[in-house]
Amino acid sequence: MPLFGPMITRPSEEGELALIADLQSGEEEAFNRLIAQYAPSIYRVAYRLLNDPADASDTAQEVFLRVFRGIGRFQNHCSLKTWIYRITVNAVSNQNRWWHRHRAQEISLEAQDNVWVSRHVVGKGRDPFESVLSQETQELVQKALLRLPESARTVLVLREMEGLSYEEVAAILHVSLGTVKSRLARARQALKVELEALLAPVQEPLPAWSPAD
Amino acid sequence: MSAAMLRCWIYRKLLTAHLEESLPGVLCQTVSRHMASCADCEEQWQQLRSVSLLLRQLPAPAVPPDLELQIRLRLSRERRRSQQPSWSWRWGNLLSPFALPGAAGVLLAVVIFGAFFPLLNQPVRADSSDVPLTLRTPPRLRSSGPISLNSSMEGLVVQLLVDQNGRVADYQILTGNYTSDDVRVLRNLLLFTVFYPATLFGHPMPDTIVFPLRDVSDQTFLSKNAG
């Protein structure tokens, strides 16, 4: 049994094997099917890890470019899905490194939080109070998630948000199953700590006006 | 650390697995019983479950409608780029029409160079008109008068004093049988005989030579006093 990437991540479906064969023979239709199948999830993962729609879009394009260039060397050691997610995680990691080197000092003219909240309004038909509360909660969770280290954020996104199995996460990150479990436990704990820190009451000076006035 | 705290610490290590519902049945029931009796562990578990639920309830970001189109465009550009011939192929294709004329030109140049090189590289030969640069050179016969010698005179050997102008200034018969007529003929011969004068460091100077008369006919002489 291999150390990383257990046997259950091997492609067992005939459809996937046929798709891989078509991709390796360079069929354009096969690439179109691959894009339709994986582009939304790749974009979601990149967005959740980078928190920038433009960067997420660039990363998704970069991922498929790497798939196009590397599909000839793909040898079915893992499933196509695992391989594409691994490329995505690596591309995001490279993007983060580039961001820290080049853009860390830049200040965006957009207020990211407001953009995020306005873009992801949920429950439009619900009670406005509940809607706002839900938005604020989601905003807090997203903010806490972004404050986590990259490795913790990655494992949480892959497991909790994308719903991948432990084995798939282990194969994507190229670590053992036990490492995934311990990383996930630490990441949840860290996220809880970050949320507690964000929810802690801010020590502000007393207002100048009081009801006694 | 008390026993109760130690027990809670152990159970809290199992909370993540309990959350994932990956604990064996018996252990799962044990953890549940502990949480029913321990408010702190129950709170920890609820918080972890809330964190997990909050993450799963985060709305999926809206995928740009033109994302697939952008990806397909980029792949199309990449496919077109990868199908373009390589630079080595392009250069080869560009230069192939000139290959035969070029090779022929080079071959012709080699043949011409090989044919003319020996002419260009001839060895330098000494010119007979060169002035000898040795320290001292003897007199040499330049020309003699049109006087025929009889057989008895050809056996004579004379010693000549040649001045710096190449003219015979004095003579002395060393060997051979001769008559008074032979001496007259010899004087006439020497009167019309011209030598290249002897030289010292390239400058003409008088010198003596031993001169067999039979050498006059073939314009050679032996210089026995040279050196």
Side-chain angles (χ1 to χ4, degrees):
Chain A
M1 182 173 173
L3 181 61
F4 304 115
M7 297 296 288
I8 62 168
T9 60
R10 282 173 179 272
S12 57
E13 297 174 5
E14 291 295 324
E16 180 166 321
L17 287 174
L19 177 62
I20 291 169
D22 290 346
L23 291 171
Q24 287 180 333
S25 63
E27 282 188 21
E28 193 171 348
E29 179 57 33
F31 277 99
N32 288 341
R33 272 190 288 149
L34 186 79
I35 292 167
Q37 188 174 347
Y38 287 104
S41 51
I42 296 304
Y43 176 84
R44 280 199 308 269
V45 171
Y47 184 91
R48 282 165 168 160
L49 291 173
L50 294 168
N51 196 38
D52 185 284
D55 285 349
S57 181
D58 287 346
T59 303
Q61 293 176 39
E62 180 67 25
V63 166
F64 281 96
L65 208 58
R66 290 190 196 183
V67 169
F68 177 78
R69 289 171 182 163
I71 191 66
R73 297 187 299 274
F74 182 71
Q75 292 179 336
N76 294 343
H77 291 313
C78 60
S79 70
L80 192 60
K81 179 183 177 185
T82 302
W83 184 59
I84 293 175
Y85 270 92
R86 187 185 298 159
I87 292 173
T88 307
V89 170
N90 289 338
V92 166
S93 184
N94 289 342
Q95 182 75 17
N96 271 332
R97 274 200 293 271
W98 184 90
W99 193 91
H100 283 297
R101 274 202 302 270
H102 297 95
R103 288 174 56 186
Q105 303 302 322
E106 293 180 11
I107 299 171
S108 173
L109 294 176
E110 283 184 307
Q112 287 288 331
D113 300 338
N114 295 337
V115 169
W116 193 90
V117 170
S118 61
R119 193 169 288 167
H120 301 284
V121 173
V122 291
K124 284 179 181 173
R126 297 189 313 188
D127 179 24
F129 178 76
E130 284 182 14
S131 179
V132 170
L133 189 64
S134 173
Q135 286 172 30
E136 288 190 352
T137 307
Q138 289 164 0
E139 185 183 349
L140 275 176
V141 174
Q142 183 72 19
K143 200 180 285 184
L145 189 65
L146 291 172
R147 288 166 71 165
L148 294 182
E150 186 183 324
S151 60
R153 195 162 66 238
T154 304
V155 77
L156 281 177
V157 167
L158 292 177
R159 171 66 185 155
E160 300 285 10
M161 299 179 171
E162 290 300 312
L164 300 180
S165 67
Y166 281 130
E167 289 81 7
E168 284 174 323
V169 176
I172 289 166
L173 300 180
H174 220 263
V175 295
S176 67
L177 208 58
T179 305
V180 171
K181 289 180 180 177
S182 60
R183 261 189 211 178
L184 196 56
R186 281 202 302 272
R188 281 197 191 108
Q189 193 64 32
L191 184 63
K192 187 169 82 72
V193 171
E194 290 294 343
L195 278 172
E196 285 170 353
L198 287 171
L199 289 168
V202 181
Q203 297 295 328
E204 291 180 353
L206 288 174
W209 175 86
S210 68
D213 298 335
Chain B
M1 183 183 286
S2 68
M5 288 176 68
L6 180 62
R7 196 166 53 245
C8 284
W9 182 80
I10 293 170
Y11 278 119
R12 284 180 191 178
K13 288 287 179 189
L14 297 173
L15 286 183
T16 300
H18 186 59
L19 187 69
E20 297 282 339
E21 298 177 353
S22 58
L23 285 178
V26 179
L27 199 55
C28 183
Q29 287 177 1
T30 311
V31 173
S32 297
R33 274 201 302 273
H34 172 75
M35 283 191 297
S37 62
C38 177
D40 288 344
C41 288
E42 167 71 11
E43 187 184 351
Q44 284 286 325
W45 187 76
Q46 290 292 350
Q47 286 177 348
L48 280 179
R49 200 173 65 162
S50 300
V51 165
S52 183
L53 280 174
L54 284 172
L55 281 175
R56 291 178 189 192
Q57 286 171 355
L58 275 181
V63 178
D66 60 342
L67 178 67
E68 290 185 20
L69 180 64
Q70 286 179 1
I71 294 171
R72 278 202 291 271
L73 275 175
R74 194 153 175 194
L75 285 190
S76 174
R77 280 198 294 267
E78 177 70 13
R79 184 179 286 112
R80 193 181 60 196
R81 197 185 64 80
S82 66
Q83 286 172 350
Q84 282 179 346
S86 63
W87 280 106
S88 59
W89 190 90
R90 287 186 195 181
W91 275 109
N93 201 29
L94 190 68
L95 296 178
S96 59
F98 304 102
L100 186 61
V106 169
L107 188 65
L108 188 63
V110 168
V111 168
I112 291 173
F113 184 75
F116 285 96
F117 183 73
L119 301 178
L120 299 174
N121 196 24
Q122 279 193 335
V124 178
R125 292 173 183 168
D127 192 349
S128 58
S129 62
D130 285 348
V131 176
L133 292 179
T134 49
L135 296 179
R136 182 175 178 176
T137 60
R140 291 174 297 154
L141 182 63
R142 185 174 181 182
S143 64
S144 60
I147 297 172
S148 60
L149 299 175
N150 57 33
S151 58
S152 63
M153 285 188 70
E154 286 184 353
L156 294 179
V157 177
V158 293
Q159 184 179 21
L160 304 175
L161 174 61
V162 180
D163 63 9
Q164 64 268 22
N165 296 319
R167 293 290 181 176
V168 177
D170 197 4
Y171 74 97
Q172 181 183 359
I173 299 173
L174 298 178
T175 58
N177 300 321
Y178 56 90
T179 61
S180 59
D181 289 339
D182 294 340
V183 171
R184 187 177 50 84
V185 171
L186 176 63
R187 285 181 179 170
N188 287 337
L189 175 67
L190 295 179
L191 187 63
F192 292 104
T193 301
V194 181
F195 288 84
Y196 291 108
T199 59
L200 183 65
F201 293 110
H203 294 286
M205 59 171 291
D207 198 1
T208 59
I209 59 168
V210 174
F211 188 64
L213 291 186
R214 65 173 175 271
D215 292 344
V216 173
S217 59
D218 53 4
Q219 300 280 306
T220 60
F221 70 98
L222 294 174
S223 177
K224 291 192 177 176
N225 62 339

